[in-house]
């Protein structure tokens, strides 16, 4: 296992990217913005900030690549070979990618190395392997007619993604979009552009033609908006906040009516019944609430406890939370790092303060940080009890290491509380009564229900939300629907 010093040595040797990626190479923008390491507040690079004209050039380059057929007209098997090569290159460069991810967002290096980067490689491999096994259709028309229904790539796809899982969430969009023959312009979040840029380098190395996968860097309201409003972008896929998704819907309505596919926020409930295996439920609830510093769209940020076990569960949960190792993200022993930046950490602290003012009891795990770390970007894991549904903390997505605990007495009340949200991304149920769990799962208005686990996820299962958590699905073969359009060709025999 690499030690912290090994990572620091590697950091001193790598060249951090600082330009956007167009037509197979890096291009410096006229303007730039600062990117820093949130764990230490150290300035890392001045990153290119693409304006409308630069975004336009990149989109035109994608359009030309699409029209030329260098990618869209390859056979599925040829695209598969190149995407599998990209998956291999991600694995070969896993350490550098993991380091870049951790430097950008402050997540523990072990998570970057063992979860995020292998997840991205597997996602490319899975779609590469799928694409030459999907057949088109012949419709059941009458005998003197032949109606073929074919999937065609949609054209130029823009993907705008957030900072919490930068490479993984980009891969969830890129892999199915590229596998189906589209050209993609990716805009990473301003805080986390490094792995997106490195991925573009690797894609070139894998033989993916110039212009097929490009990366624009810059600020959301400028670079992101330019993509959202661009008349020659055929489809916009988005992961991020509900608030920004609504802006993309407006950009589309005000430009070319491009389909917008939003994957947005959540306030997922973890419902724990008295007959559950409490120790397992505690372990998983810790993961559900605090993994990735709680910066997870499907984080189980609300725990709903059957009243008879509330005290016992809460005591065990607080004890378990004390075992989290919060510290330097480059230290392999750390299992909780810092938040994405000082501003976000401040917002999280404000949400905690508001919950306390409204009557919640707060239990905070003590932080012991090394002096070189930026204490302003860290938030201690916080457990809020006695939370009732009137409190803001019950409804607002905080996106940090904060969990709100509420109690219930009947299963009907549990469902009512869980569904009492504008979001509907995920939920968990803990009980030994599997029949009860399945009936409740049918009543929960969410995209994924995990039973006796939390946040279950696999590339083979669709991921997405009900209500204001978005629509359309990432992952699984269902994601292909977003990146293809159906063409009917009717032959009168
Ligand atoms: P965000 O909405 O602020 O930013 C997401 C992306 O949109 C970034 O690339 C950003 O630059 C861009 N953007 C921001 N403002 C823009 C604007 N006015 N016009 C165009 N583009 C703009 O979200 P975030 O803070 O980066 O990420 C956190 C959010 O992402 C949370 O709400 C979380 O729940 C959500 N999220 C959802 C999923 C999911 O799959 N449902 C997964 C991860 C994160």
């Amino acid at each position: 296992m690499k030690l912290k010093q090994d990572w620091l040595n590697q950091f001193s040797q790598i060249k951090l990217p600082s330009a956007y990626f167009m037509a197979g190479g890096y291009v410096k923008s006229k303007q730039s913005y600062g990117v820093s390491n949130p764990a230490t507040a150290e300035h890392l690079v001045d990153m290119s900030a693409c304006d409308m004209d630069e975004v336009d050039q990149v989109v035109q380059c994608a359009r030309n690549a699409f029209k030329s057929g260098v990618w869209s007209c390859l056979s599925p098997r040829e695209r598969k070979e190149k995407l599998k090569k990209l998956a291999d290159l991600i694995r070969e460069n896993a350490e550098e990618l993991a380091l870049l991810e951790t430097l950008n967002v402050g997540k523990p290096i072990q998570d970057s190395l063992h979860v995020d980067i292998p997840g991205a490689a597997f996602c490319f491999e899975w779609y590469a392997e799928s694409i030459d096994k999907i057949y088109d259709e012949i419709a059941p028309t009458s005998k003197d007619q032949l109606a073929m229904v074919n999937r065609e790539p949609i054209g130029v796809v823009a993907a705008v993604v957030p900072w919490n899982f930068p490479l993984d969430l980009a891969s969830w969009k890129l892999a199915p979009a590229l596998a189906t023959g589209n050209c993609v312009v990716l805009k990473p979040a301003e805080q986390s552009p490094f792995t997106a840029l490195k991925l573009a380098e690797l894609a070139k190395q894998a033989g993916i033609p110039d212009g097929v996968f490009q990366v624009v860097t810059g600020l959301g309201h400028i670079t992101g908006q330019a993509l959202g409003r661009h008349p020659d972008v055929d489809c916009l896929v988005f992961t991020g906040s509900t608030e920004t998704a609504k802006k993309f819907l407006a950009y589309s309505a005000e430009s070319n009516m491009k389909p917008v596919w939003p994957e947005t926020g959540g306030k997922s409930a973890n419902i724990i019944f008295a007959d559950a295996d409490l120790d397992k439920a505690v372990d998983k609830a810790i993961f559900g609430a605090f993994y990735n510093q709680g910066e997870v769209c499907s984080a189980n940020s609300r725990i709903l406890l059957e009243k008879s076990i509330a005290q016992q569960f809460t005591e065990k949960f607080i004890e378990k939370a004390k075992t989290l190792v919060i510290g330097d993200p480059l230290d392999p022993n750390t299992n909780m790092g810092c938040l994405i930046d000082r501003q976000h950490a401040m917002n999280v602290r404000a949400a905690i303060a508001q919950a306390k003012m409204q009557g919640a009891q707060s239990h905070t795990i003590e932080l012991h940080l090394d002096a070189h770390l930026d204490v302003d970007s860290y938030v201690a894991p916080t457990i809020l009890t006695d939370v009732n549904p009137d409190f803001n903390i019950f409804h607002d997505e905080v996106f940090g290491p904060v969990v709100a605990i509420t109690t219930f007495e009947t299963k009907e009340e549990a469902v009512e509380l869980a569904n009492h949200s504008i979001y509907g991304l995920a939920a968990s149920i803990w009980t030994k009564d599997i029949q009860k769990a399945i009936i409740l799962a049918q009543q929960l208005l969410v995209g994924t229900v995990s039973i006796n686990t939390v946040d279950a996820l696999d590339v083979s299962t669709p991921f997405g939300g009900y209500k204001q958590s978005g629509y359309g699905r990432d992952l699984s073969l269902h994601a292909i629907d977003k990146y293809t359009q159906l063409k009917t060709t009717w032959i009168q025999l």
Side-chain angles (χ1 to χ4, degrees):
M1 185 170 71
K2 269 177 113 149
L3 302 177
K4 178 175 154 188
Q5 192 53 48
D6 302 323
W7 290 110
L8 287 170
N9 293 344
Q10 185 169 359
F11 174 30
S12 66
Q13 283 156 18
I14 56 172
K15 188 172 179 326
L16 298 173
S18 61
Y20 66 102
F21 198 92
M22 181 172 82
Y26 281 113
V27 183
K28 270 267 178 221
S29 191
K30 289 172 273 188
Q31 272 141 32
S32 64
Y33 68 96
V35 172
S36 40
N37 176 349
T40 59
E42 176 191 2
H43 174 82
L44 296 172
V45 293
D46 289 324
M47 178 59 65
S48 281
C50 295
D51 62 16
M52 255 175 75
D53 291 341
E54 288 162 328
V55 169
D56 183 49
Q57 285 168 20
V58 174
V59 171
Q60 290 317 323
C61 183
R63 172 63 57 201
N64 292 339
F66 184 71
K67 270 198 198 152
S68 76
V70 282
W71 186 249
S72 55
C73 293
L74 291 186
S75 70
R77 193 174 297 178
E78 288 169 308
R79 288 200 298 268
K80 161 177 152 168
E81 291 314 321
K82 298 209 187 308
L83 291 171
K84 279 182 70 178
K85 175 81 186 147
L86 177 56
D88 291 344
L89 287 169
I90 292 172
R91 292 193 180 105
E92 280 167 32
N93 289 272
E95 290 194 345
E96 182 175 341
L97 285 164
L99 179 58
L100 292 173
E101 203 78 306
T102 286
L103 288 172
N104 260 172
V105 305
K107 68 170 71 194
I109 190 72
Q110 292 296 86
D111 291 346
S112 298
L113 186 62
H114 298 296
V115 182
D116 294 51
I117 311 305
F122 189 61
C123 185
F124 278 103
E125 193 170 72
W126 195 86
Y127 281 102
E129 283 292 0
S130 303
I131 202 62
D132 63 349
K133 295 163 192 76
I134 298 172
Y135 291 76
D136 286 331
E137 298 166 7
I138 296 197
T141 52
S142 66
K143 252 198 142 179
D144 60 344
Q145 297 158 342
L146 177 63
M148 298 183 293
V149 183
N150 299 101
R151 281 185 185 275
E152 296 189 338
I154 205 156
V156 174
V157 171
V160 179
V161 296
W163 43 259
N164 58 338
F165 295 98
L167 187 66
D168 264 6
L169 294 177
S171 305
W172 291 12
K173 316 286 189 200
L174 283 161
L178 291 173
T180 44
N182 297 282
C183 292
V184 185
V185 179
L186 170 67
K187 195 204 95 59
E190 41 271 49
Q191 298 92 334
S192 57
F194 290 166
T195 49
L197 292 164
K198 182 73 191 170
L199 186 69
E201 280 181 44
L202 297 179
K204 184 175 171 71
Q205 219 177 308
I208 294 174
D210 294 350
V212 171
F213 166 38
Q214 305 174 95
V215 180
V216 291
T217 50
L219 306 181
H221 66 286
I222 299 172
T223 317
Q225 175 161 200
L227 283 173
R229 291 189 181 280
H230 202 290
D232 215 19
V233 167
D234 297 309
C235 167
L236 197 136
V237 285
F238 173 78
T239 297
S241 62
T242 297
E243 193 188 341
T244 307
K246 289 180 183 177
K247 291 190 178 142
F248 275 105
L249 292 168
Y251 301 155
S252 165
E254 287 158 15
S255 58
N256 62 342
M257 239 173 84
K258 60 180 76 62
V260 172
W261 294 104
E263 291 287 347
T264 54
K267 190 78 190 178
S268 300
N270 187 0
I271 306 169
I272 302 172
F273 287 95
D275 67 344
D277 179 334
L278 274 204
D279 290 328
K280 263 196 201 153
V282 166
D283 279 1
K284 287 284 192 173
I286 291 281
F287 176 88
F290 298 136
Y291 182 69
N292 208 50
Q293 300 71 242
E295 294 169 322
V296 179
C297 53
S298 49
N300 287 201
S301 53
R302 290 184 294 158
I303 298 181
L304 308 181
L305 296 175
E306 191 162 0
K307 209 165 195 162
S308 59
I309 49 143
Q311 195 184 342
Q312 191 191 1
F313 179 95
T314 306
E315 282 167 12
K316 281 176 183 265
F317 186 84
I318 293 170
E319 280 314 300
K320 188 81 194 174
K322 287 182 187 159
T323 66
L324 290 166
V325 182
I326 306 148
D328 190 333
L330 287 180
D331 185 333
N333 296 314
T334 295
N335 50 33
M336 187 184 278
C338 63
L339 300 197
I340 187 64
D341 54 33
R342 287 176 177 174
Q343 180 59 50
H344 183 51
M346 220 158 77
N347 296 344
V348 172
R349 280 188 218 105
I352 296 169
Q354 184 188 43
K356 288 204 274 195
M357 250 173 46
Q358 290 179 331
Q361 298 298 314
S362 168
H363 312 263
T364 306
I365 309 305
E366 259 181 66
L367 286 180
H368 301 282
L369 296 176
D370 293 347
H372 72 287
L373 296 172
D374 181 26
V375 67
D376 292 340
S377 293
Y378 280 79
V379 174
T382 303
I383 298 127
L384 298 166
T385 54
D386 302 323
V387 171
N388 80 50
D390 299 338
F391 297 177
N392 293 62
I393 198 77
F394 190 86
H395 298 279
D396 296 346
E397 184 185 42
V398 177
F399 222 57
V402 182
V403 67
I405 297 187
T406 306
T407 58
F408 65 87
E409 293 191 54
T410 64
K411 55 185 189 307
E412 291 75 20
E413 195 191 347
V415 170
E416 174 91 22
L417 285 168
N419 285 339
H420 189 36
S421 172
I422 61 161
Y423 299 113
L425 196 51
S428 305
I429 302 173
W430 289 82
T431 172
K432 293 200 178 94
D433 181 346
I434 200 70
Q435 174 147 335
K436 173 167 78 179
I438 291 172
I439 291 169
L440 293 189
Q442 291 167 353
Q443 295 167 7
L444 290 169
L445 303 174
V446 298
T448 301
V449 180
S450 304
I451 297 176
N452 293 331
T453 185
V454 295
D455 226 353
L457 175 81
D458 188 77
V459 65
S460 62
T461 53
F463 182 85
Y466 285 25
K467 300 192 263 181
Q468 292 190 43
S469 290
Y471 47 81
R473 293 294 180 262
D474 276 335
L475 302 179
S476 81
L477 293 182
H478 294 283
I480 303 273
D481 293 343
K482 299 200 283 198
Y483 303 104
T484 51
Q485 44 200 348
L486 295 177
K487 160 92 45 85
T488 300
T489 309
W490 187 295
I491 304 159
Q492 187 65 46
L493 300 173

